[in-house]
Amino acid sequence: MFLDRVKITIKAGNGGNGAVSFYRSKLTMNGGPDGGDGGKGGNVVFVANEGINTLYGFSFKKKFVATNGLKGEKQHKKGADGKDVIIEVPCGTVILDAVTEKVIADLTNNGDKFIALKGGNGGHGNEYYKTPTRQAPRFSQTGEIVKERQVILELKSIADVGLVGYPNVGKSTLLSVISNANPKIANYHFTTIYPNLGVVAYKDKSFVACDIPGLIDGASTGAGLGHYFLKHVERVRVIVHLVDISECEGRNAVEDYFNINNELKKYSEKLSSVPQIVALTKIDLLSEEQLNEKVKLFEEKTNQKPILLCSIIHKGTEELKSKIWQVLEKTPKPAPINVELNNFDVRDKQSFEVKKIDNQTYEVCGGLIDNMIRGVVLSDETSFAYFQNALKKFGIIDKLKEKGLNVGDTVIIKDISFEYEE
Ligand SMILES: Nc1nc2c(ncn2[C@@H]2O[C@H](COP(=O)(O)OP(=O)(O)OP(=O)(O)O)[C@@H](O)[C@H]2O)c(=O)[nH]1
Ligand SMILES: [Mg+2]
C-alpha cells in the first residue's frame, strides 16, 4: 500500500507538579519551605530519516505521546523532565495542522528536525512562593497541562526527474534500466499503480527519478490514476515525457504529445512550466524508414528534438541521462514548501470568557484561567487570596459585574466554585 497522507495525534508531556514540603531535621522542627519544582514535560519532535521511504508505519501507530515531567520533591529537588517523543518520517514530509490544513513544517533533508509541541512547564514548588511576609507557603503550582493535537503528514516527492506519458509507453522499463528501482513492468495499462522512485547514477553524480501511473485523457480532472500523483510531479525539476513512436496501440504520437501536455497544463500552470525532455520509445518496433518518417513528422508538428529510445537494449539511455543532467545543473532545487503557520504551538495564556449560566450563576473559562488556576490551592488562605487578587487584576471581576454579577451569586472557575463577596 502506498500511503502519502496520514492524520496522527501528538501530545507533549505535561509539566510535573511543584512540591509542598518543609525542611525537617532532628534539630529543626519548623524549617523553611523546600518543595522543589516539577519537571518539564517531553517535547514532540519530528525528524526526517533517509532510511524511511513511506508513511506506511503510520497506518499502525497513529498516536505519539511524550512522557510527563515528574513532580518536585522535598529538599529542593526538581522533578525529572519528561522524555521527548521522536517521530521519524521520510525526507520530503510536509506537516500540516489538521484543523486549518496549513503547513507547519517541511522536512526535506535527512536530519531535518521540527519541534511540533513543547512539553508543559513544571509547576513551582512551595519554596518559590516564600517571601519576607509569607515564610511558610502551603501551596505549590501544578504542572502545565498540554492538550493533544492532530497533524497531517503528507509525503511530497523528492524526485528530481519525473517520467510521464500514456499508459504502457515504457516509463517503468526506462526507470528500471537507468536506476536501481525494480518496478513492475507488463504489457497492459496501469501496471504502475503507485509511483516508483529510483536513484540514477550519472558519472560521479546521482539524481532521483520517479515514474507515475500512466496519464490518460481527462487525467487533470481525475480520470485514471495519474491525477492523484500529478502533485508529486509538480516539484520535480525536469519531466521526461515519453511518447510511443511505434504507435503500436493505434494512437497517434503527435496527438499523444499534445494531449499529455494539455493535461499537465490543465492540472496546473506550475506543472506545465517544468522543463521537459521528450523521448520517443519503442523505436525497435519500426523499420528505419518508418522511424525516420515518423520522427520527421513528430519534429515538424511539435517543434521538439526528441531523444530516440529503446530502453530494453539501453539505446538512447546514456544520451537521455546526459540531457537530464544538463537541465538539472541549470535548475535550482525547489525551495522548501512555505510554512504557513508559525505559531502552531502557541498556547493561549491570556484570553478568558465569562458565561452567564442562570440569573445567579456565572462561569469563567479560557487560557488565562487554565494558567492562573495552576497556582491555586483552595484550602490555603494565602493561595486563595492570590487567586481573588488575580481575578481583580486581570479584569475578570469587572467583566463578571458587566454581565450582571451580584453579591451572593455563584462563580464557577474550573473545579472551583465560590460565592461572590465584595
Ligand atoms: N518493443 C519495446 N517494448 C518496450 C520498450 N519499452 C517498454 N516496452 C514494453 O512495453 C510494455 C509496457 O512497459 P512498461 O514499462 O510497463 O510501461 P509503463 O509506461 O510503465 O506502463 P504503465 O505503468 O501501465 O503506465 C512492456 O511489455 C515492456 O516490455 C521498448 O523500448 N521496446
Ligand atoms: Mg509503469
Side-chain angles (χ1 to χ4, degrees):
M1 190 176 89
F2 185 87
L3 192 65
D4 67 351
R5 188 180 159 100
V6 63
K7 193 191 273 187
I8 60 166
T9 300
I10 52 175
K11 189 187 168 305
N14 297 332
N17 295 340
V20 176
S21 157
F22 293 92
Y23 180 67
R24 297 270 184 277
S25 75
K26 276 184 195 149
L27 301 172
T28 323
M29 287 304 286
N30 291 314
D34 71 351
D37 295 348
K40 195 180 159 304
N43 302 324
V44 176
V45 185
F46 287 91
V47 182
N49 180 339
E50 64 189 357
I52 303 173
N53 291 318
T54 72
L55 296 173
Y56 187 53
F58 294 96
S59 47
F60 306 107
K61 185 167 161 60
K62 290 191 188 293
K63 187 163 179 177
F64 297 83
V65 181
T67 59
N68 297 334
L70 296 184
K71 64 182 189 331
E73 303 279 347
K74 58 187 178 185
Q75 293 174 356
H76 321 284
K77 264 194 217 138
K78 182 177 173 286
D81 290 343
K83 266 207 193 116
D84 293 352
V85 59
I86 309 281
I87 308 173
E88 294 196 314
V89 293
C91 296
T93 299
V94 180
I95 307 172
L96 303 105
D97 170 18
V99 178
T100 59
E101 298 230 353
K102 289 199 166 148
V103 175
I104 56 173
D106 175 16
L107 304 184
T108 304
N109 302 310
N110 190 36
D112 280 358
K113 200 174 183 181
F114 171 62
I115 300 177
L117 295 177
K118 286 211 172 94
N121 290 318
H124 290 299
N126 66 334
E127 186 186 9
Y128 176 86
Y129 294 100
K130 183 182 165 189
T131 62
T133 51
R134 185 172 58 201
Q135 289 290 315
R138 288 179 189 286
F139 59 89
S140 62
Q141 190 183 30
T142 55
E144 188 185 354
I145 307 282
V146 185
K147 288 195 183 118
E148 67 176 34
R149 305 282 299 272
Q150 288 196 307
V151 292
I152 294 168
L153 307 181
E154 221 176 64
L155 190 57
K156 60 169 201 248
S157 171
I158 47 161
D160 303 296
V161 185
L163 310 182
V164 303
Y166 269 91
N168 226 24
V169 295
K171 301 178 294 297
S172 302
T173 308
L174 173 64
L175 187 71
S176 74
V177 167
I178 61 172
S179 82
N180 63 346
N182 212 354
K184 187 170 167 193
I185 295 166
N187 194 12
Y188 53 81
H189 288 196
F190 299 118
T191 312
T192 302
I193 317 175
Y194 304 114
N196 299 291
L197 277 181
V199 179
V200 181
Y202 176 68
K203 298 193 174 159
D204 57 341
K205 325 263 188 334
S206 70
F207 54 86
V208 178
C210 78
D211 65 352
I212 64 162
L215 299 176
I216 54 173
D217 301 346
S220 58
T221 50
L225 300 165
H227 177 265
Y228 185 67
F229 297 105
L230 283 176
K231 70 170 188 229
H232 287 268
V233 188
E234 258 189 337
R235 285 171 60 83
V236 300
R237 291 190 282 157
V238 51
I239 287 175
V240 175
H241 182 165
L242 303 187
V243 180
D244 173 2
I245 194 67
S246 76
E247 300 178 338
C248 64
E249 297 201 13
R251 289 187 316 268
N252 176 282
V254 175
E255 280 173 19
D256 279 8
Y257 169 79
F258 286 114
N259 286 347
I260 293 291
N261 275 347
N262 223 352
E263 293 301 334
L264 299 182
K265 190 163 184 161
K266 275 199 269 177
Y267 182 81
S268 77
E269 273 305 319
K270 192 171 159 198
L271 197 53
S272 71
S273 62
V274 175
Q276 232 184 63
I277 297 170
V278 181
L280 301 179
T281 64
K282 305 194 183 179
I283 55 171
D284 53 308
L285 295 183
L286 299 173
S287 67
E288 210 179 316
E289 200 181 322
Q290 283 172 319
L291 181 65
N292 288 341
E293 199 181 303
K294 282 182 191 275
V295 171
K296 192 163 164 259
L297 185 73
F298 187 89
E299 289 179 348
E300 274 169 18
K301 298 272 184 197
T302 64
N303 220 4
Q304 292 286 335
K305 199 92 194 95
I307 289 179
L308 306 187
L309 268 189
C310 178
S311 303
I312 39 185
I313 55 162
H314 295 214
K315 194 165 176 189
T317 49
E318 280 309 308
E319 188 190 350
L320 177 64
K321 284 201 276 183
S322 129
K323 207 156 178 186
I324 291 172
W325 188 254
Q326 281 169 28
V327 182
L328 289 181
E329 262 187 330
K330 296 196 288 229
T331 322
K333 288 215 175 214
I337 287 179
N338 279 342
V339 168
E340 298 163 329
L341 188 68
N342 280 308
N343 58 352
F344 174 71
D345 191 27
V346 165
R347 291 167 211 168
D348 166 28
K349 291 185 180 175
Q350 247 124 52
S351 75
F352 69 90
E353 194 192 344
V354 172
K355 291 184 214 158
K356 187 167 182 171
I357 308 244
D358 63 30
N359 268 344
Q360 288 167 322
T361 321
Y362 298 81
E363 187 178 1
V364 193
C365 56
L368 173 66
I369 300 298
D370 293 346
N371 196 42
M372 203 165 87
I373 216 82
R374 292 173 46 208
V376 177
V377 177
L378 273 189
S379 55
D380 185 278
E381 242 175 64
T382 38
S383 172
F384 194 59
Y386 151 83
F387 175 59
Q388 284 178 313
N389 272 338
L391 291 180
K392 280 192 200 131
K393 189 171 115 194
F394 291 113
I396 297 170
I397 297 292
D398 287 346
K399 195 90 199 167
L400 278 161
K401 282 185 176 167
E402 240 173 64
K403 292 252 174 183
L405 178 78
N406 286 313
V407 170
D409 291 349
T410 305
V411 178
I412 303 171
I413 296 180
K414 300 263 258 198
D415 351 336
I416 301 173
S417 100
F418 61 91
E419 268 185 23
Y420 175 61
E421 297 166 17
E422 293 264 274

